[in-house]
Amino acid sequence: MTIKTQVAIIGAGPSGLLLGQLLHRCGIDNVILERHTPDYVLGRIRAGVLEYGFVDLMREAGVAERMDREGLVHDGFTLAFQGRREHVDMKGLTGKSVLVYGQTEVTRDLMDARKASGAPIYYEAEDVQLYDFLDGKPRVTFTHQGQQKTLECAYIAGCDGFHGVSRKSVPKDRIKEFERVYPFGWLGLMSDTPPVEDELIYVHNPRGFALCSMRSHTRSRYYIQCSLAEHVDEWSDDRFWTELSARLPEDVAAKLVTGPSIEKSIAPLRSFVAEPMKFGNLFLVGDAAHIVPPTGAKGLNLASSDVYTLYHALRGACLDGRPELLDRYSEIALRRVWKAERFSWWMSMLLHTFDDDAFSQRIQKAEQDYYTSTRAGLTTIAENYVGLPYEPVV
């Protein structure tokens, strides 16, 4: 069976669904392929801090009603270190804020919009293979419900994550990869307990990093730095809460409300970039092209800026007769990618505990002191956290 469309989108995570929604609303046909079930996709626990650029893109896609109603606007956050607490007033320093709204809810809203639109999406698409994208006549083959199908298209958007088929389909001599793996992970716990404070708290402690986050007024998300040699089964809820309390400032720990975990997992930290992000008529988007450590809250937000850039380039190519805009996708996207990689790396180095020499420890302390003691330093943190502007595709 042969299906024809303008854009084949590989992956039905937030980036694939958002790109599909934006293209559908402007009349560009697209088909989404996802190898997992909808429940599996929704079950992936991910970030919950949205930059203003992502929020605006959700509104442009027509899927922001619940996000605007239930999301929590945050005007700042706290850095705690050396027995001090320093507030980063994002709103006062940049005029912008972030929105706390879980990635699971973003995905649910986009799934509902896709279903309501009637635009085609194939879940449990097996044996997905990409062909001829370097020759200008891309096609995708896959098996769905036992039937082999061929998807003929003009363009392929690889939104299928770090382990997906899209990047793996690129010849190795055409792609260059940059990577840094960190010597620790994050142990995260989610609980139906009220957040310890109204804003996020990032903590540097000799015992290790900690983060107090949230998904709503009644659901909290906490993280602590841990060894990659540890297994989540070694961490009972009681052990987690005890260790978290030991790392938090005393006044914060005194207010901590504990409870049973509803999710608990360990995630490794990695910085990764693949260059370029365009290969003929194949475009890599989000985690298919880059990974950031979660310290800067940039993963989903960086995927969103890729979607923005590719969406506007595809609009130009498909609707305005300007295919040359697609040639700028990788260049534009990578400029923002590397700035977000830098910030995420910097926040990780600033706040985690390393087995470093005394010189490196003093440098870390000096960084903490300098960036929180001057308006210029705090502004640098704030403008990166709320998100750098999206670059126009012209």
Side-chain angles (χ1 to χ4, degrees):
M1 178 181 176
T2 299
I3 306 165
K4 294 188 176 183
T5 192
Q6 289 172 284
V7 182
I9 299 174
I10 314 300
S15 58
L17 289 166
L18 181 55
L19 178 61
Q21 175 72 3
L22 289 162
L23 294 175
H24 176 77
R25 281 172 65 88
C26 72
I28 298 175
D29 292 338
N30 63 92
V31 174
I32 300 178
L33 306 181
E34 167 58 51
R35 65 191 178 106
H36 294 295
T37 66
D39 286 344
Y40 180 93
V41 174
L42 284 172
R44 295 184 290 212
I45 304 297
R46 295 291 189 272
V49 177
L50 308 181
E51 296 175 356
Y52 72 95
F54 183 93
V55 171
D56 288 345
L57 202 56
M58 287 283 285
R59 290 169 180 156
E60 183 177 350
V63 288
E65 180 180 353
R66 190 164 73 97
M67 178 191 73
D68 284 333
R69 184 175 67 249
E70 299 180 8
L72 307 178
V73 176
H74 281 204
D75 294 333
F77 63 92
T78 293
L79 299 173
F81 54 88
Q82 302 175 37
R84 294 155 42 196
R85 294 180 61 181
E86 302 289 350
H87 187 251
V88 181
D89 180 8
M90 297 182 295
K91 184 72 170 180
L93 292 164
T94 71
K96 299 179 178 66
S97 306
V98 296
L99 190 73
V100 172
Y101 187 67
Q103 180 171 324
T104 299
E105 305 312 313
V106 169
T107 306
R108 193 187 313 277
D109 294 342
L110 288 165
M111 280 182 170
D112 291 345
R114 187 75 182 185
K115 184 176 181 180
S117 74
I121 182 169
Y122 293 86
Y123 288 101
E124 298 182 84
E126 301 175 338
D127 193 27
V128 175
Q129 301 290 328
L130 282 55
Y131 297 98
D132 301 332
F133 51 84
L134 293 174
D135 302 325
K137 295 182 179 180
R139 58 190 174 91
V140 181
T141 62
F142 65 102
T143 301
H144 185 253
Q145 297 179 348
Q147 184 178 10
Q148 291 186 339
K149 301 179 186 291
T150 298
L151 185 57
E152 295 181 352
C153 54
Y155 309 103
I156 302 174
C159 306
D160 51 345
F162 182 78
H163 299 288
V165 69
S166 296
R167 191 180 71 256
K168 294 177 182 177
S169 299
V170 177
K172 292 189 181 297
D173 62 350
R174 296 269 190 136
I175 193 168
K176 187 170 184 179
E177 297 180 350
F178 305 83
E179 185 173 32
R180 172 161 294 180
V181 177
Y182 299 83
F184 43 72
W186 275 18
L187 170 61
L189 178 147
M190 186 175 289
S191 62
D192 282 329
T193 55
V196 69
E197 286 198 356
D198 292 336
E199 294 181 343
L200 274 64
I201 307 174
Y202 290 80
V203 180
H204 173 263
N205 185 288
R207 299 177 68 99
F209 167 83
L211 171 60
C212 302
S213 185
M214 67 198 71
R215 294 295 179 268
S216 69
H217 290 303
T218 58
R219 178 165 290 183
S220 298
R221 181 72 164 165
Y222 296 101
Y223 301 92
I224 57 174
Q225 177 183 344
C226 68
S227 166
L228 288 172
E230 295 185 272
H231 192 275
V232 68
D233 292 340
E234 301 171 12
W235 285 86
S236 66
D237 288 356
D238 285 344
R239 182 187 175 194
F240 179 91
W241 292 119
T242 299
E243 182 60 31
L244 175 65
S245 296
R247 299 185 188 189
L248 298 180
E250 289 185 6
D251 61 322
V252 177
K255 299 183 294 183
L256 183 65
V257 178
T258 65
S261 63
I262 58 175
E263 192 274 341
K264 190 162 46 181
S265 57
I266 293 177
L269 271 64
R270 171 190 283 118
S271 297
F272 173 86
V273 180
E275 291 186 1
M277 292 171 60
K278 175 186 183 296
F279 305 89
N281 287 24
L282 167 65
F283 305 86
L284 301 183
V285 178
D287 287 1
H290 43 74
I291 298 287
V292 290
T295 326
K298 289 286 164 271
L300 176 59
N301 291 302
L302 203 49
S304 169
S305 65
D306 291 349
V307 168
Y308 172 91
T309 303
L310 184 55
Y311 162 60
H312 284 280
L314 286 169
R315 278 195 63 153
C318 296
L319 302 181
D320 302 328
R322 299 189 62 194
E324 72 276 5
L325 293 181
L326 290 166
D327 293 332
R328 298 204 59 210
Y329 169 70
S330 182
E331 171 195 355
I332 293 173
L334 281 169
R335 271 199 289 269
R336 197 173 191 277
V337 165
W338 277 111
K339 290 172 185 174
E341 290 281 351
R342 184 210 67 82
F343 179 67
S344 301
W345 164 83
W346 180 81
M347 283 280 283
S348 299
M349 300 300 290
L350 185 75
L351 295 169
H352 287 84
T353 300
F354 295 84
D355 293 328
D356 280 340
D357 57 272
F359 179 86
S360 297
Q361 292 172 5
R362 292 295 194 276
I363 291 294
Q364 183 186 47
K365 181 177 181 295
E367 289 270 289
Q368 293 169 349
D369 289 340
Y370 170 72
Y371 277 93
T372 58
S373 64
T374 69
R375 184 177 179 86
L378 288 168
T379 301
T380 296
I381 297 172
E383 67 181 10
N384 280 273
Y385 199 90
V386 301
L388 300 176
Y390 290 174
E391 183 175 337
V393 183
V394 294

